[in-house]
Amino acid sequence: FGMVALESKYGKRTATAISLEDCDLGLLTKEQYNYSLESIHKKSLEMIFNLVNSYNILGLAPKKAFENRFNHMFKCVRFKRGEKLMEENKEIQSVIVFREGQFVITINKNIFELNELMAKLYKIRGKMMGLSENSIKKELSKNCYNKDYYMNQNFILPETMKMYEKKHNLTISIINDKLVLGLMDTVDPETHLPLFNCTCISQICDGYEITNQSLNSVNKEYYCDNNNNQISLINIEYYLKRLQLHIKEI
């Protein structure tokens, strides 16, 4: 007890504490207390900066700029087991960098919607890789089929069409510890709608959240383009392979 008085402007106690029996107590002076808080604060800043920097979220922003100007933009967030971190078709306006937890990425779609999702990912990947429109179209025609393609197959029976229209709960990936939600590998850049569902499956999931508006202001100043994040590109490649497998299974 006593922290409120040490942290207040006037240093006055807000409560009285009376011992009911003999006690052995430790004592911290205000100077020692402030030094401890400062040390904890520095370690916290170091941890957040290293975590965010490992994903190149802030681009070329130096550590000093992060400590002095940007660290306040990150808000601590915590989710419990079973909580949704991201849901399909529910717009999100922030990026969350997780440092601890276990997550499952899922989708609930039919065969037509799976192909539409694959088409979106191929387009996003193509833009990130700097591919021409023609190259992207070739990939789409080779790997993705729209509803008209299935409808034009004369041999498809009504029962088969019902199977195609049936939605499936599919697991795309289970991720341990580090995860970023809100970049181009998880959110449609045009609509800002999540491409997947993401749920916390560990006891807790801890991370740091920054709004898109704040992140854009940092990126504009330091010429960072999160759309070209290599980790996001690797994730998209993995998601495409998983989607292709699920479509074949269905």
Side-chain angles (χ1 to χ4, degrees):
F1 52 88
M3 294 86 72
V4 175
L6 291 179
E7 294 173 4
S8 68
K9 183 177 179 180
Y10 301 104
K12 292 183 178 180
R13 300 284 189 186
T14 57
T16 300
I18 301 173
S19 63
L20 300 179
E21 56 185 39
D22 293 342
C23 301
D24 292 320
L25 305 175
L27 177 68
L28 276 178
T29 65
K30 185 170 185 176
E31 290 73 22
Q32 291 171 326
Y33 179 73
N34 289 338
Y35 177 80
S36 298
L37 284 185
E38 187 177 340
S39 177
I40 293 170
H41 181 63
K42 282 183 178 178
K43 286 181 180 178
S44 178
L45 284 179
E46 181 88 18
M47 181 180 65
I48 299 173
F49 178 78
N50 289 338
L51 180 64
V52 170
N53 200 44
S54 68
Y55 288 99
N56 197 32
I57 301 291
L58 297 181
L60 301 176
K63 187 176 180 181
K64 209 67 181 173
F66 173 79
E67 291 178 352
N68 296 334
R69 298 172 53 201
F70 304 137
N71 79 83
H72 70 279
M73 296 179 177
F74 287 86
K75 180 182 72 174
C76 292
V77 291
R78 169 171 285 189
F79 297 87
K80 296 179 181 178
R81 190 193 305 276
E83 281 193 80
K84 296 275 188 182
L85 317 179
M86 185 173 72
E87 290 186 66
E88 294 174 80
N89 302 319
K90 285 194 175 181
E91 185 176 350
I92 59 173
Q93 292 291 341
S94 63
V95 171
I96 307 177
V97 186
F98 287 95
R99 67 179 181 85
E100 183 181 16
Q102 190 176 36
F103 319 86
V104 61
I105 293 178
T106 61
I107 48 175
N108 183 31
K109 296 184 181 298
N110 61 35
I111 193 79
F112 308 124
E113 293 166 336
L114 287 174
N115 275 280
E116 288 173 4
L117 176 56
M118 282 187 64
K120 281 184 181 179
L121 288 172
Y122 272 114
K123 288 177 183 177
I124 293 170
R125 189 191 71 161
K127 289 180 180 179
M128 292 174 71
M129 295 174 66
L131 299 180
S132 65
E133 289 293 328
N134 284 336
S135 296
I136 295 174
K137 285 180 181 178
K138 284 181 182 178
E139 281 200 310
L140 293 179
S141 62
K142 181 181 176 182
N143 298 294
C144 304
Y145 303 101
N146 57 28
K147 190 171 184 178
D148 291 338
Y149 169 84
Y150 291 99
M151 296 295 287
N152 290 333
Q153 304 300 309
N154 296 326
F155 58 87
I156 289 186
L157 300 172
E159 292 78 11
T160 308
M161 186 55 66
K162 283 182 181 179
M163 182 186 71
Y164 283 154
E165 291 175 341
K166 180 184 176 182
K167 288 185 180 287
H168 301 268
N169 286 310
L170 305 171
T171 297
I172 301 299
S173 181
I174 294 177
I175 301 171
N176 291 311
D177 294 329
K178 290 185 178 180
L179 171 71
V180 178
L181 296 178
L183 298 184
M184 289 184 74
D185 57 341
T186 54
V187 174
D188 187 324
E190 296 179 0
T191 63
H192 300 292
L193 294 175
L195 301 172
F196 307 98
N197 302 307
C198 185
T199 307
C200 173
I201 56 174
S202 55
Q203 188 171 352
I204 57 168
C205 295
D206 283 332
Y208 304 96
E209 182 178 34
I210 182 171
T211 64
N212 288 343
Q213 185 178 2
S214 296
L215 186 59
N216 290 337
S217 67
V218 178
N219 292 341
K220 187 177 180 180
E221 182 174 348
Y222 287 96
Y223 309 105
C224 174
D225 185 4
N226 282 314
N227 296 343
N228 292 323
N229 191 305
Q230 287 301 307
I231 295 177
S232 294
L233 192 56
I234 292 169
N235 289 341
I236 287 175
E237 294 282 4
Y238 175 77
Y239 297 152
L240 284 170
K241 288 179 182 177
R242 291 290 296 170
L243 288 169
Q244 286 169 345
L245 285 174
H246 282 309
I247 288 174
K248 284 181 181 178
E249 289 172 358
I250 293 171

